[in-house]
Structure formats: structure tokens, C-alpha cells
Amino acid sequence: MARHRIYATSFASVYPHYVAKAERKGRTKQEVDEIIAWLTGYGPAELEAVLVAKTDFETFFAEAPKPNPARDKVTGVICGVRVEEVEEPTMREIRILDKLVDELARGKAMEKILRTA
């Protein structure tokens, strides 16, 4: 049952927490948006539409315009869970996004976060 609650949660309700986490550590909303764009392919207008529509996480990832194939390179532990070991696809996508925002908040360079370095 808990699994379904996170999927039904609107991305818009969690997005401000991603931004706040980044900003507390001196990073920016634009960097969070860049991470989301890299991961999903959502541009600024599409992301705004998702936020306004209060799209749930499952739909957010299922309808992502261009999921980045390099997202499989995101590994490590977030919330005590190894990202690469999460079997359920939507939960893996959520954990990848959590991990990327965590890396941003920890001061990692954007090139490394976006796996381009």
C-alpha cells in the first residue's frame, strides 16, 4: 500500500522540497530543473505544465518526453537503498532523481551529476 501512495503523490508536492534542499546548500532552482530535464527530457514549459496539473509521480515518469539512457549510470545509496538494486521501474526513477538532487546539495559539479564528465 505504501508503494501506491508515493506514486499517487503529485510531483508538484515534492518538487519544492527538491528546490529547498538545493537552495539550502547554495545551489539553485535552475540546477534542479536542469537535472530534471537531463533525466526526463521535460523542458521548462513542460515542467511547468506538470507542476500546474499536479501530475503524480507514476505519470510524470511514464510520460517523460525523453528519458535519458545515461540514467542507468546513476548508482549509490539514497534513503538507505542502493539505486541500482531497485527493481520496480517507477521507484527506481524516483530514487535516481532523489540521488541526483542529493548530489547537487552535496556540492558535486553539474558535469559529474549529469554524468558528462
Side-chain angles (χ1 to χ4, degrees):
M1 195 58 116
R3 181 182 94 133
H4 296 285
R5 268 186 262 149
I6 187 71
Y7 294 176
T9 300
S10 77
F11 179 76
S13 70
V14 178
Y15 175 78
H17 298 285
Y18 291 139
V19 173
K21 181 176 187 173
E23 289 178 341
R24 276 193 308 272
K25 299 295 185 168
R27 303 306 287 260
T28 67
K29 175 187 175 296
Q30 290 75 23
E31 288 173 308
V32 173
D33 291 353
E34 184 178 349
I35 287 169
I36 293 168
W38 177 88
L39 181 62
T40 63
Y42 285 110
E46 295 161 315
L47 180 57
E48 183 62 28
V50 163
L51 295 171
V52 168
K54 297 188 184 325
T55 302
D56 62 68
F57 268 100
E58 189 168 23
T59 305
F60 175 77
F61 285 111
E63 295 181 357
K66 189 176 177 192
N68 192 320
R71 70 192 185 284
D72 291 337
K73 294 180 183 178
V74 178
T75 60
V77 177
I78 189 73
C79 300
V81 177
R82 206 156 251 299
V83 172
E84 61 272 24
E85 293 176 1
V86 176
E87 291 185 25
E88 204 292 313
T90 301
M91 186 53 71
R92 179 179 295 140
E93 298 292 347
I94 293 168
R95 294 299 186 200
I96 289 170
L97 179 55
D98 291 345
K99 179 70 176 167
L100 295 174
V101 172
D102 189 61
E103 290 176 356
L104 180 68
R106 291 178 182 262
K108 205 169 195 182
M110 284 301 285
E111 303 81 47
K112 290 188 179 191
I113 295 169
L114 302 182
R115 284 31 185 192
T116 57

